[in-house]
Amino acid sequence: MRNRFFKGAFILTGFLLVAACSDKGKEIETKPVELPIIKGNEVEVGNKPLIEANYQHIVIKNVSYKLIHEKDSAIIRILDTEIFDINTPDFYKTAEYYEQIGDNKTASYYRHQKVYEKAVKKFSNIVEALATLPAKTSIEIQAHLHNMDAPSEKINEITEARAKKLLERFSNEEKLSHISFSAKSFGDTAPVYPNNDVEFRINNSRIDLVVTREK
């Protein structure tokens, strides 16, 4: 599954891939939209975080993602289409929803492919993986979308809505109550691959979960 996610990326040089995988120090044209920070529960005194965290244990079943390790943080990079309807701010809806609005073609496809059920399971698997993180973990949700056919204003609107929805969903998960969440919307300002290729644009449309430990 990971091979599908990164098909085509190996044509880049090692230097470009390493540089592109990190947003640190990268200037962007549009300032990201800052969203409210939701703090996790307090933990008992003496539970000191590691200076250099190890995130090797993070495994998300049946989800297309990449785990990028840095010195004391990690980026969980997930294709947006794993949980979001294509080029919309919405999570996948049921086939019945599309039937009710008269879109029988989409309803038939979603029912046949079990799109809604798969997306719900994938989100659940993401929650299960994040739940294994220790107390005093912070996660910044970063939403990105790259669609050449949509104006930047519309793209910014979609990524801001996605970031807010994920922030709310994660913050309402009891299993994740020990984690502090925040969120940013980047629109199309921070691609990790050149935007001149359809498959690269698909990989640029993503949700980055930046995981760090409080020091």
Side-chain angles (χ1 to χ4, degrees), residues 72-92:
D72 56 357
S73 65
I75 300 173
I76 304 172
R77 182 159 288 159
I78 303 170
L79 276 176
D80 67 336
T81 51
E82 293 292 277
I83 51 179
F84 284 104
D85 211 343
I86 298 173
N87 294 328
T88 77
D90 302 318
F91 293 107
Y92 283 105

Side-chain angles (χ1 to χ4, degrees), residues 17-33:
L17 181 57
V18 171
C21 285
S22 174
D23 290 329
K24 289 184 176 179
K26 184 181 181 67
E27 291 189 3
I28 56 178
E29 296 178 1
T30 305
K31 185 178 179 181
V33 178

Side-chain angles (χ1 to χ4, degrees), residues 49-90:
L50 298 173
I51 295 177
E52 293 194 14
N54 188 334
Y55 300 99
Q56 296 284 354
H57 70 282
I58 300 175
V59 176
I60 311 176
K61 297 178 181 177
N62 302 317
V63 173
S64 285
Y65 74 99
K66 182 177 182 181
L67 182 61
I68 302 165
H69 293 280
E70 298 186 340
K71 181 180 179 181
D72 56 357
S73 65
I75 300 173
I76 304 172
R77 182 159 288 159
I78 303 170
L79 276 176
D80 67 336
T81 51
E82 293 292 277
I83 51 179
F84 284 104
D85 211 343
I86 298 173
N87 294 328
T88 77
D90 302 318

Side-chain angles (χ1 to χ4, degrees), residues 1-7 60-66 79 82 118 122 125 203:
M1 184 174 289
R2 296 186 185 184
N3 290 335
R4 175 173 61 78
F5 178 62
F6 298 102
K7 181 181 177 183
I60 311 176
K61 297 178 181 177
N62 302 317
V63 173
S64 285
Y65 74 99
K66 182 177 182 181
L79 276 176
E82 293 292 277
K118 289 178 181 178
K122 287 176 180 181
N125 289 345
N203 288 322

Side-chain angles (χ1 to χ4, degrees), residues 86-212:
I86 298 173
N87 294 328
T88 77
D90 302 318
F91 293 107
Y92 283 105
K93 294 183 172 67
T94 63
E96 288 73 22
Y97 166 83
Y98 287 101
E99 224 169 37
Q100 289 171 4
I101 65 173
D103 189 349
N104 294 322
K105 183 177 179 181
T106 301
S108 176
Y109 175 79
Y110 274 34
R111 183 176 293 105
H112 178 69
Q113 297 293 329
K114 296 185 177 180
V115 173
Y116 173 77
E117 292 83 355
K118 289 178 181 178
V120 169
K121 181 60 178 174
K122 287 176 180 181
F123 182 81
S124 176
N125 289 345
I126 293 170
V127 170
E128 292 294 330
L130 298 183
T132 66
L133 294 168
K136 289 194 174 182
T137 293
S138 296
I139 296 179
E140 182 176 85
I141 303 161
Q142 299 182 353
H144 303 262
L145 179 63
H146 295 264
N147 179 359
M148 300 297 285
D149 299 323
S152 292
E153 295 78 10
K154 181 63 176 178
I155 290 174
N156 290 336
E157 180 183 315
I158 291 172
T159 56
E160 184 173 352
R162 285 180 170 184
K164 286 179 178 178
K165 288 181 179 181
L166 275 176
L167 180 63
E168 181 180 1
R169 286 280 292 271
F170 283 141
S171 300
N172 287 335
E173 290 285 342
E174 183 63 30
K175 292 181 180 179
L176 305 181
S177 62
H178 61 292
I179 296 175
S180 300
F181 286 96
S182 61
K184 287 183 181 178
S185 166
F186 284 86
D188 59 358
T189 63
V192 290
Y193 304 112
N195 259 332
N196 57 3
D197 179 274
V198 173
E199 190 137 13
F200 282 170
R201 287 198 293 273
I202 290 173
N203 288 322
N204 282 332
S205 297
R206 67 200 191 274
I207 300 296
D208 281 353
L209 302 178
V210 183
V211 184
T212 56

